[in-house]
């Protein structure tokens, strides 16, 4: 009986520890929590003028000045794009998390689109952005894309509201 209880307790402990989030990831989640403004989008690692559709949603210019909200207690959020002649305005909802660093990348923000009822609308497709810097006032996220076989890094610069 003692062996079975010990084995059961070990199984529970392993299960709980495998589901836990590291202190670093929790700290980053806490820093994400709240309202942000996407101040600027720029491009690195290549020269020329770029125009891109971000997150398969809207052109990069539509995202500048967009409002982002991250709720850490249920891992949901939204961004709001202003309506204009170039941009389809409105709210876009998402589920998000912080992916812990590995030897191949730094910590990452990952998210996928959901509807107002928190149902997946992206067919499981999501996005990952490298967290370059994150503090109480600002954050910088980056993603690498290929343009004509060459690497271009999209840089997203946010300020906390």
């Amino acid at each position: 009986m003692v062996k079975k209880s010990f084995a059961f307790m070990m199984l529970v402990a392993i299960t709980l520890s495998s589901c836990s989030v590291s202190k670093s990831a929790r700290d980053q989640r806490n820093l994400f929590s709240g309202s942000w403004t996407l101040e600027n989008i720029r491009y690195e690692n290549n020269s020329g003028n770029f125009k891109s559709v971000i997150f398969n949603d809207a052109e990069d210019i539509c995202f500048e000045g967009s409002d982002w909200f991250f709720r850490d207690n249920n891992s949901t959020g939204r961004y709001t794009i202003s309506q204009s002649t170039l941009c389809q305005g409105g709210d876009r909802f998402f589920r998000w998390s912080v992916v812990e660093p590995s030897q191949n990348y730094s910590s990452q923000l990952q998210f996928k689109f959901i509807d107002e009822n928190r149902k997946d609308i992206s067919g499981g497709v999501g996005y990952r952005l490298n967290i370059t810097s994150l503090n109480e006032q600002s954050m910088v996220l980056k993603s690498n894309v290929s343009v004509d076989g060459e690497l271009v890094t999209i840089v997203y610069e946010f300020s906390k509201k």
Side-chain angles (χ1 to χ4, degrees):
M1 180 71 172
V2 173
K3 281 186 175 181
K4 285 183 181 178
S5 293
F6 180 74
F8 176 73
M9 293 303 287
M10 287 302 294
L11 180 62
V12 168
I14 289 170
T15 302
L16 289 176
S17 68
S18 67
C19 295
S20 69
V21 177
S22 74
K23 181 178 180 340
S24 171
R26 275 193 314 273
D27 290 345
Q28 286 182 322
R29 284 181 59 81
N30 290 338
L31 287 171
F32 267 101
S33 186
S35 297
W36 298 83
T37 300
L38 179 50
E39 300 287 349
N40 187 41
I41 296 176
R42 60 186 172 82
Y43 299 88
E44 293 179 343
N45 300 329
N46 214 313
S47 60
N49 293 325
F50 293 96
K51 177 175 144 182
S52 59
V53 174
I54 306 290
F55 311 128
N56 204 28
D57 180 17
E59 289 185 20
D60 51 3
I61 195 167
C62 297
F63 280 88
E64 291 188 5
S66 61
D67 293 319
W68 291 64
F69 178 73
F70 296 88
R71 182 175 288 118
D72 67 339
N73 69 346
N74 69 0
S75 303
T76 62
R78 67 162 164 64
Y79 63 83
T80 305
I81 292 177
S82 297
Q83 181 69 33
S84 75
T85 56
L86 294 175
C87 309
Q88 177 68 39
D91 292 334
R92 280 74 159 167
F93 300 94
F94 55 85
R95 181 167 311 283
W96 67 279
S97 63
V98 173
V99 179
E100 297 191 41
S102 78
Q103 63 189 71
N104 296 329
Y105 56 82
S106 61
S107 294
Q108 295 179 316
L109 167 68
Q110 77 176 1
F111 69 94
K112 66 178 183 174
F113 291 107
I114 58 175
D115 64 16
E116 298 86 359
N117 299 318
R118 300 187 190 141
K119 302 275 190 233
D120 180 10
I121 60 172
S122 60
V125 173
Y127 301 90
R128 280 193 179 184
L129 305 172
N130 294 323
I131 303 169
T132 303
S133 69
L134 175 62
N135 60 48
E136 292 83 10
Q137 294 88 28
S138 65
M139 78 172 150
V140 177
L141 306 175
K142 294 183 178 184
S143 62
N144 295 321
V145 296
S146 179
V147 177
D148 296 329
E150 294 188 36
L151 177 71
V152 175
T153 301
I154 305 174
V155 181
Y156 308 86
E157 299 172 337
F158 292 82
S159 64
K160 190 94 178 234
K161 287 184 163 187

